[in-house]
Amino acid sequence: MDNPMPILLVPGLGGSPRIYAPVVPQLWRHGPVTVANHLRDDSIGAIARRILAEAPPRFALAGHSMGGYIALEIMRQAPERVAKLALLNTQARPDSDEAKERRRRQIEGINAGRYSEAVGALFPGFVHPSRHDDAELLAEVEAMAADVGPEAFARQLTAIMGRADSRATLAKIGCPTLVLTGDQDNTIPNALSVEMAEGISGAKLVTIANCGHLPQLERPQETAAALLDWLRI
């Protein structure tokens, strides 16, 4: 490839580079791949600024779940640096009051030493209903949570609670954009992906069948195919 495009991947809440591992080998053919570190700050704005400080001058950007909130913040802070944007199983809306209260309870539980319990409680919403008993997938989610650790997980919850409403940002996005979702995402319903795709001019919406909130792990071939189509634009 004559001019490979750096590819920057941002994981979600409790996610580590493992979340993208099934798709990186295929993406790598299109340019150098970096998984951003989103563990060190407790606001989306600060996380985005630090990622930008460490990122290449211009790059293709993909964000999953919380990583999508960060990607939309990067689009606010430095849109000229993003050549292409992929928003995976995420949304543009801020937290509701109910969601904020739920996250506060999660933080209290983590601070009380119940980190594993908090992660386990999230798993049924993370995966397609047919995979609730998938021990291998649960082990992967638990391994990512161990990579992140309780302190960083709590910082991420705080950052998510304070995120901005990005709906007004959508119309300003001018780069080629992929919006990807699972057909049964019970953490961020795919209607919110439809809303984003309709708000971004020219965005392509891909809905993966028999998939929940973790398409890279649940349906890696389909997810890689969608990302490769995006990179070829």
Side-chain angles (χ1 to χ4, degrees):
M1 189 173 299
D2 293 336
N3 294 296
M5 171 65 66
I7 302 162
L8 183 63
L9 308 175
V10 190
L13 170 67
S16 75
R18 296 173 194 263
I19 189 70
Y20 287 107
V23 302
V24 163
Q26 295 183 67
L27 305 185
W28 175 79
R29 296 199 299 268
H30 287 260
V33 179
T34 302
V35 179
N37 184 329
H38 64 333
L39 305 180
R40 298 165 289 180
D41 300 285
D42 63 0
S43 78
I44 298 295
I47 294 169
R49 282 190 292 276
R50 199 192 291 254
I51 289 174
L52 281 165
E54 298 171 348
R58 190 163 164 81
F59 49 88
L61 174 64
H64 172 247
S65 194
M66 176 193 180
Y69 310 153
I70 296 165
L72 289 168
E73 178 62 26
I74 287 173
M75 294 303 298
R76 272 191 291 274
Q77 293 187 16
E80 72 284 354
R81 293 180 60 184
V82 180
K84 300 176 183 184
L85 176 66
L87 299 167
L88 315 180
N89 296 75
T90 190
Q91 63 174 319
R93 294 176 177 240
D95 255 5
S96 65
D97 290 341
E98 179 184 358
K100 288 179 182 178
E101 180 55 33
R102 185 173 66 250
R103 297 193 204 281
R104 289 188 192 101
R105 292 196 300 269
Q106 288 174 319
I107 291 170
E108 289 173 1
I110 290 167
N111 290 339
R114 298 193 297 273
Y115 182 44
S116 295
E117 181 182 319
V119 172
L122 291 171
F123 181 74
F126 274 174
V127 298
H128 188 272
S130 67
R131 305 190 76 166
H132 284 177
D133 297 323
D134 189 325
E136 185 176 343
L137 199 51
L138 175 59
E140 196 68 16
V141 169
E142 290 174 339
M144 289 195 294
D147 293 339
V148 170
E151 294 84 4
F153 195 98
R155 283 195 292 272
Q156 291 180 337
L157 287 168
T158 300
I160 290 171
M161 284 192 289
R163 74 183 185 276
D165 187 335
S166 292
R167 283 174 288 184
T169 302
L170 301 178
K172 301 175 184 177
I173 295 173
C175 62
T177 300
L178 166 68
V179 178
L180 183 144
T181 182
D183 64 343
Q184 292 196 52
D185 185 339
N186 293 314
T187 293
I188 299 179
N190 57 35
L192 298 173
S193 290
V194 173
E195 178 181 71
M196 288 193 303
E198 290 177 346
I200 300 171
S201 178
K204 180 179 181 180
L205 176 66
V206 173
T207 302
I208 297 180
N210 300 311
C211 184
H213 189 61
L214 308 178
Q216 308 96 310
L217 300 179
E218 295 180 69
R219 298 292 172 192
Q221 292 183 340
E222 296 88 338
T223 303
L227 289 169
L228 288 172
D229 286 345
W230 165 68
L231 289 170
R232 293 187 189 109
I233 296 171

